[in-house]
Amino acid sequence: MTNSEQTSVLITGANKGLGYEAARRLGELGWTVFLGSRDEGRGQAAADKLAADGANVVLVPLDVTSDESVAAAVRLVREHTDRLDVLINNAGAPGHAVAPADATVEEIHPVYDANVYGPIRVTHAFLPLLQAADHPRVVMVSSAGGSFAVVTDPDQPVSKMHELAYSSSKAALNMITVRYAQALPGIKFNAVTPGEVANRTFAATDMNNHTGQLTVTEGTDSIIKLATMDPDGPTGTFIDRLGLIAW
């Protein structure tokens, strides 16, 4: 495991759900947690709650769809550290599950802005701080819905969820993860899904109206595994809490 006393992490979309739970768990390890939140009020409430439990947490107002917000986030983080050990690109948008025949660019664009352009925007901006770390890791919070193998399996529930925006955005995020991993071998880039593909389950969060069968803690198991992995850990992989899954 990494040296927790010197480890820092930025988590986007961390005021609730998977992001908050990842922040809580890493905070318990003694990490410095930069808690990214688009809504500053909710973010401050989340940060205060974690701090009350003993976490070293810094609120970072952060809208991943805004260049200006991301630039301001970099400046704020630099006030506290000269390097970033881990970036967890967790913020995302579910879309409205519009049927493909009815889907328009207006429906799809905001989902891509959060789920595809957002991680690119944040990763690009924080690359210098990541590259200054001894063992930098980037965790992309994706979805089994972005896996061609899963979506084309008729036994998987997601195969019957007919929409364009969310699943295709996560498929794009998966490819982005692989391409970063290939081009930047000094940083570990990996993607996760907060579920169990083999058991056709997913984590209960606000995004799915808490319909998932796994707890939010179980949903973050794969995130924590990749965030805390050793320097000889993998890069360019896609996992759930049980292990590797197919792209």
Side-chain angles (χ1 to χ4, degrees), residues 70 74 77-78 81-85 87 120-134 136 138 184 187 189:
V70 172
V74 173
V77 171
R78 282 191 177 276
T81 183
D82 60 357
R83 60 181 172 82
L84 182 66
D85 297 292
L87 168 62
I120 294 173
R121 187 177 283 114
V122 174
T123 300
H124 180 264
F126 280 91
L127 268 181
L129 282 171
L130 287 163
Q131 291 170 326
D134 294 331
V138 176
L184 296 164
I187 302 174
F189 286 88

